[in-house]
Amino acid sequence: MTGDKSVAASHRVIYLCYYLLLSVFFAAAFFPNYRIWGVNWWGYFPSFVPIVLLAVGALVPIVLRFIIRNDSSPIETAQTDTDRHFLLISIVILFFTGLLFYVFRTSTHFLGDGYQNIARLATNPLVKYREFGESLIHLWVKQLVGGDPQAAAIASYRAVSITSGILFVAVTALGARRLFNSLADRLLFMLGLLSGGYILLFFGYAEHYSMFALSVGIFTLIGVLIATGKVSRWWAVPLLVLPIFFHVLGATVIPAGLYLLLAGTRAGNWLRFVNRYLKWSLIVALLAVSGFAFYHFYENSLYFRFAFVPPFTTMFTLEGYTLFSLSHLADCFNLLLLLVPSLPIVGVAIFGGGARKLLAGREVRFLGILIAGAMGAAFIFDPKIGMPRDWDLFSFLGLPLATLVFYLIVQRAEEDRSMRRVAICGIATGLLLLGPRVAALNMDEIAIAHFKNYTQLDHTKSRNAHALLIDYYAARGEQEKSDSAKLVYDTGYPERILVQQAEKIRADGFQHFPEAVTLLYRSLAVNPTYADAWWQMGECYTAMGMYDSALTALRISDGLNPNNPNTLNNLAVALLYLNRTDEAEKILLQAYEIDSTGKATLANLAGLYATKRDYMASGYYLERRTVLHGGTAEEYIRVAGYYYRIGEYRMAAGATEQALGLGLDSALYESALRDGPKMIPYLKSSR
């Protein structure tokens, strides 16, 4: 009797937590402008929508009372539901979710870098190393689609996103089948994972994280199967590589992968039972090596340094956003609730209902390590455009977290049938938040209102985002709204106006460069992370002969906005003035790899190799420059010399003809004929 009362009290606490969470969703709807972006999605819809959603959510436990028996008696261990039934239901779910992904594919792309990604893929495709695998696949799909570049780019993102979602549903079904015996438990686990906030990535979302999320989901589910002895541990090796291939943050799964490979082996047991002092010595040594490596990169790479949220306020800190600031802590809390809204409910059910013994399992330790790595990344890495918009970068955290939550609650349901009601309530909370998010991205006015609120939360970081809104209105022919958005852009970001003024002053002549530097300093006082201001300052310092100052400014610009060919070229020029030729060559080749058609890059490479007396290399880059961008008579005659040296006499003659057309000096022409007699038969002009 006492046990029954204890269970009943535990259930009351769980349902109280559920209704409190619904109340939070409802109350947050009245504060869409506050930093509660993870739970205030109801607030962007007409006032009746939050009331309807609250009513629907409130009815869920009441309806479940009549469907699922209210007792805690153990469920029979014999499997009564066949694999055939689960297969049929899984196929229906797969078809239905795939249909939802397609029908409700996002029509606006303000979250993340959606519009920038589409424009970049359409006009200047770039495979980023930090998201190499997914960038490569998007480029391949876009080429496969063909036709209009803009339409092909959108189709590529949608196809990859939706396909990833369908594969995730299939993998979730396979994982549920191997982990649980009864039909009900399999479905609860499967639907629990399909109700997470990360599922938005599969609704045609225009970002580079859908396949990354899929790969983390596969690694998570197979990892649980490995930890429970249902799959060979060696599956962890290829599945460990997959997330890293798709995104650099996939490296966060490495500790969990090593745990799978070592747990239960002789080496793993040795590490587990080794002498305490030796164990701590190994831990300290590992931390020391890791700390040294971190310190080395932090001190020598500004890109690495700027990738992290600063622990304390520095000259580059924006709006007081540091590792332990209230804004950052609130963002992390919002992210958790956005990805796994059922976390508070199921957490109370697990830790408050005598289920702590479940935490001793190897699979739980594996998931704990995986969550710790993902949560650590979300905590320390800087969301460059603000976490409300950059949530998708850290969405992979939700996959192991949701797996742990629903794995534990369904495990409890095998002994306590009433826990199935808790699992369904958890699924309901996820869907009550996911549904409005999907709808919002398909309703223009709501998506824009939502976007505007996010730009207010992280004003300085959202400078470039306002240009998206201007272009969006202009593309729709709403010029008045576009002009209004531009006015907000101009008045809200004075640093941008100051940089434009500096650029105009520089165009008036070298004598105005000191005045331009003053304006750039004023711009950086407003926004110290404005990369354009830093590279313009570096260019000014180079022209003024202040090469060390130029290097400092340009390296900061490169750290803030890496892989910008303009910045890299200016950096190389400053290094050349300091006679650091090898460093300049490395940087110019990096710029060439990013954009092999850049006029400045080709000219600088040609000049650099000419100074090194490598005339073949110099001619190669000069030839590319003149073909793509034209050139002077002297440059064409140098290209003619390059063609002659590689045996292309007809092309050498053609380049010489072009030089003549541009007014080549007769002395240079005669010299070219003496040096290249074999091209004379191909010449059409003569002097």
Side-chain angles (χ1 to χ4, degrees):
M1 182 68 70
T2 303
D4 291 341
K5 289 182 178 179
S6 175
V7 170
S10 174
H11 290 168
R12 283 196 293 271
V13 172
I14 292 168
Y15 292 122
L16 176 62
C17 182
Y18 171 76
Y19 282 115
L20 282 175
L21 189 59
L22 286 181
S23 301
V24 168
F25 291 171
F26 184 75
F30 295 96
F31 303 98
N33 299 323
Y34 287 73
R35 197 172 284 275
I36 47 176
W37 52 269
V39 294
N40 65 2
W41 283 82
W42 295 4
Y44 293 94
F45 295 87
S47 57
F48 73 89
V49 174
I51 296 173
V52 171
L53 292 173
L54 180 65
V56 170
L59 286 172
V60 170
I62 299 171
V63 172
L64 290 176
R65 242 181 118 79
F66 296 98
I67 298 175
I68 299 178
R69 190 172 54 175
N70 185 26
D71 63 39
S72 57
S73 60
I75 297 171
E76 295 296 325
T77 56
Q79 182 176 340
T80 58
D81 301 308
T82 65
D83 290 341
R84 183 171 62 86
H85 291 153
F86 180 67
L87 176 62
L88 291 174
I89 295 173
S90 296
I91 291 173
V92 172
I93 293 174
L94 185 66
F95 174 79
F96 183 67
T97 51
L99 188 64
L100 287 176
F101 292 154
Y102 178 76
V103 172
F104 294 102
R105 61 194 183 278
T106 57
S107 61
T108 63
H109 311 284
F110 289 108
L111 293 183
D113 291 316
Y115 283 112
Q116 295 101 313
N117 288 332
I118 292 169
R120 190 180 298 117
L121 184 60
T123 58
N124 185 28
L126 177 65
V127 176
K128 296 182 179 179
Y129 290 116
R130 64 176 178 268
E131 47 202 34
F132 178 79
E134 191 143 352
S135 295
L136 204 63
I137 290 172
H138 281 296
L139 180 58
W140 176 75
V141 174
K142 184 238 179 182
Q143 292 171 343
L144 188 67
V145 172
D148 177 64
Q150 182 81 2
I154 294 173
S156 172
Y157 280 107
R158 286 177 170 169
V160 172
S161 169
I162 294 170
T163 303
S164 299
I166 293 170
L167 290 174
F168 179 73
V169 176
V171 170
T172 303
L174 292 172
R177 179 184 175 277
R178 294 297 303 274
L179 287 171
F180 301 100
N181 293 322
S182 76
L183 178 62
D185 290 342
R186 289 176 178 179
L187 291 175
L188 286 176
F189 181 73
M190 184 179 177
L191 293 174
L193 294 192
L194 297 182
S195 65
Y198 44 82
I199 294 295
L200 184 64
L201 292 175
F202 304 136
F203 282 86
Y205 197 84
E207 258 294 0
H208 295 105
Y209 308 127
S210 53
M211 298 206 76
F212 174 47
L214 170 65
S215 66
V216 173
I218 293 172
F219 178 78
T220 301
L221 289 168
I222 301 299
V224 173
L225 292 173
I226 293 171
T228 52
K230 295 182 169 114
V231 172
S232 169
R233 73 175 70 247
W234 296 110
W235 276 103
V237 177
L239 296 178
L240 187 65
V241 175
L242 204 57
I244 301 171
F245 172 71
F246 285 121
H247 199 281
V248 68
L249 285 181
T252 59
V253 309
I254 292 176
L258 292 176
Y259 174 79
L260 289 176
L261 293 172
L262 292 173
T265 65
R266 183 178 298 179
N269 290 332
W270 179 83
L271 286 171
R272 184 179 178 186
F273 297 109
V274 73
N275 179 283
R276 188 189 347 174
Y277 297 107
L278 179 57
K279 183 185 292 187
W280 277 106
S281 298
L282 290 172
I283 292 172
V284 170
L286 180 62
L287 290 174
V289 171
S290 301
F292 177 79
F294 181 87
Y295 177 79
H296 171 77
F297 286 109
Y298 193 84
E299 288 297 314
N300 293 281
S301 170
L302 287 173
Y303 173 66
F304 185 83
R305 182 182 300 187
F306 294 147
F308 297 92
V309 180
F312 310 105
T313 301
T314 69
M315 68 173 289
F316 298 104
T317 300
L318 297 178
E319 299 168 347
Y321 197 90
T322 61
L323 202 61
F324 302 103
S325 64
L326 288 178
S327 295
H328 183 56
L329 296 176
D331 280 345
C332 291
F333 183 72
N334 277 281
L335 181 68
L336 288 174
L337 282 180
L338 183 79
L339 297 176
V340 188
S342 58
L343 189 60
I345 305 164
V346 181
V348 169
I350 293 169
F351 291 99
R356 277 168 285 188
K357 62 182 180 179
L358 295 173
L359 300 178
R362 185 177 293 169
E363 68 276 20
V364 175
R365 289 196 291 271
F366 158 71
L367 289 171
I369 296 170
L370 193 54
I371 291 167
M375 188 66 219
F379 185 65
I380 65 174
F381 283 104
D382 187 15
K384 295 297 184 183
I385 57 176
M387 197 176 283
R389 287 181 61 219
D390 226 5
W391 74 276
D392 42 25
L393 174 61
F394 306 112
S395 59
F396 72 101
L397 163 64
L399 291 148
L401 190 58
T403 302
L404 176 64
V405 161
F406 283 98
Y407 178 78
L408 291 177
I409 199 65
V410 175
Q411 285 278 69
R412 277 210 66 192
E414 291 182 341
E415 299 178 356
D416 183 354
R417 188 175 313 198
S418 61
M419 284 295 108
R420 288 180 173 175
R421 295 192 337 208
V422 177
I424 294 173
C425 286
I427 294 168
T429 56
L431 295 178
L432 286 169
L433 202 57
L434 178 63
R437 293 175 66 209
V438 174
L441 298 189
N442 285 284
M443 303 171 73
D444 293 359
E445 293 304 318
I446 291 177
I448 291 170
H450 181 255
F451 171 73
K452 287 180 177 179
N453 283 339
Y454 280 8
T455 59
Q456 290 172 11
L457 289 177
D458 296 288
H459 175 77
T460 307
K461 290 182 177 181
S462 301
R463 185 191 70 252
N464 291 333
H466 282 272
L468 302 177
L469 197 57
I470 296 168
D471 294 341
Y472 176 81
Y473 283 133
R476 290 165 57 93
E478 301 179 59
Q479 194 57 48
E480 187 176 340
K481 289 184 178 180
S482 179
D483 293 341
S484 177
K486 189 176 186 309
L487 180 62
V488 172
Y489 189 25
D490 291 339
T491 56
Y493 295 94
E495 67 270 32
R496 177 173 164 269
I497 304 301
L498 289 167
V499 167
Q500 290 176 347
Q501 291 173 352
E503 193 168 10
K504 290 179 181 178
I505 288 174
R506 288 171 57 210
D508 292 336
F510 172 78
Q511 67 274 18
H512 296 287
F513 276 31
E515 186 181 351
V517 169
T518 301
L519 288 172
L520 293 169
Y521 267 117
R522 287 174 55 194
S523 172
L524 292 169
V526 178
N527 181 0
T529 64
Y530 198 175
D532 287 358
W534 283 109
W535 78 251
Q536 282 205 41
M537 184 177 290
E539 201 170 59
C540 287
Y541 281 142
T542 300
M544 295 163 66
M546 302 169 64
Y547 304 123
D548 290 325
S549 297
L551 284 180
T552 299
L554 290 166
R555 281 178 171 148
I556 291 173
S557 179
D558 185 51
L560 292 168
N561 183 27
N563 299 321
N564 185 318
N566 192 15
T567 304
L568 293 174
N569 269 285
N570 283 301
L571 190 55
V573 169
L575 288 168
L576 286 171
Y577 276 116
L578 291 169
N579 295 318
R580 293 160 65 173
T581 309
D582 291 341
E583 291 178 67
E585 179 182 5
K586 182 179 178 181
I587 289 171
L588 285 173
L589 289 174
Q590 180 185 346
Y592 179 77
E593 186 177 356
I594 295 167
D595 181 9
S596 61
T597 65
K599 182 177 180 180
T601 302
L602 293 169
N604 287 331
L605 279 168
L608 180 143
Y609 285 118
T611 61
K612 297 179 74 170
R613 299 183 182 278
D614 186 348
Y615 297 113
M616 289 294 287
S618 176
Y620 171 78
Y621 291 110
L622 186 60
E623 184 265 346
R624 282 189 57 81
R625 180 182 179 279
T626 55
V627 167
L628 293 170
H629 307 287
T632 64
E634 289 74 14
E635 286 172 337
Y636 273 109
I637 207 66
R638 285 170 56 195
V639 170
Y642 165 72
Y643 283 139
Y644 193 87
R645 281 190 290 273
I646 64 174
E648 295 287 347
Y649 305 127
R650 186 183 300 276
M651 296 184 73
T656 304
E657 295 279 357
Q658 286 179 294
L660 282 172
L662 292 171
L664 180 69
D665 182 78
S666 58
L668 289 176
Y669 179 69
E670 295 297 332
S671 175
L673 294 181
R674 286 193 302 272
D675 294 338
K678 293 182 180 180
M679 72 172 175
I680 293 175
Y682 301 102
L683 287 171
K684 298 176 184 178
S685 303
S686 61
R687 284 194 178 184

